Amino acid sequence: MTSSASAAVRTGPAPMPRLGTGPLGITLRIIVAVGVLAVANVVAGILPASLVLIPGALDLLSGSSPWAFAAAFILQSLVLIIVVLLVWAWMRWVERRSIRDAGWRWGRQSILWLLLGVAVAAASLIVVTAVLPAVGSVPDSPAMFGEPGAAPLTVALLILHYIGLAFLQQSIPEELLFRGWLLWRLRHRPVVAVVVTTLAFTVIHLVSSGGQQSAWEHVLYLALPFGFAVLATGMLLWTGSLWAAVGVHGGFHIGNYIAASVLAPVDSATSWLAVGGVQATIGLVLVATALRRGKTILDARD
């Protein structure tokens, strides 16, 4: 085959997915995305139970020993690895495309977009929380830094643990699924893509545990995932990078950790609505202006 013929093959029309993008196809993909996330977390959650079969393992991994943090890091990484592998398999065999098309690629500006997303999400959460009426006093010692007088190694490991929890276990796998694969698959109908992926991502957080005390509070809590989901989508549209969305999602968690550690506590429901409302407003502005300017979803820019 000549080089020109090879180029023609490479630049020809992309193969059609094995599953359509009508209502049934969209619904099935959402179910698969939720299932992938559930499987990854269940597997990571079950593995620690097997440690009871190893004599002395529970004692070794208890408390704040380095081994305990190492085990937690492995489990956090396992969630990400399982999600990436399953998305890769789905993209290859069902979508008939590369996982890179769903945003799983790293370029020269990826770290910039990641950090920008973290800054926007964390700063907006901290500022909103800081101006809300306090219902208590500022903690004597930052919770995320351990007990007062904790050894520097323990503090460093705690910080790494929170970062791993925010990114390895939550933001990267969830964004790959919802703002990566699902948003990309519906990219030819951008408004539908934004609405469907945002609502699907929001609804699954009905089962999240964020301090809710009643069924109604579980509903109010949805303001948070809705808000940063819209913000993540807006950042992705403007930057063309999935890593901006990852930064927003991870930045939300990092901002939450910081606010809980150094700011006075506020009413939970009020903070959910306020933070979610502010982030959703910023996100809606970004989404609307991006679509008006012709920005496209994961169009191979980075």
Side-chain angles (χ1 to χ4, degrees), residues 54-72:
I54 305 176
L58 291 180
D59 293 333
L60 181 65
L61 301 178
S62 63
S64 57
S65 72
W67 293 109
F69 287 109

Side-chain angles (χ1 to χ4, degrees), residues 142-160:
M144 68 180 297
F145 298 148
E147 298 295 329
L153 176 60
T154 300
V155 173
L157 290 174
L158 271 170
I159 294 174
L160 289 175

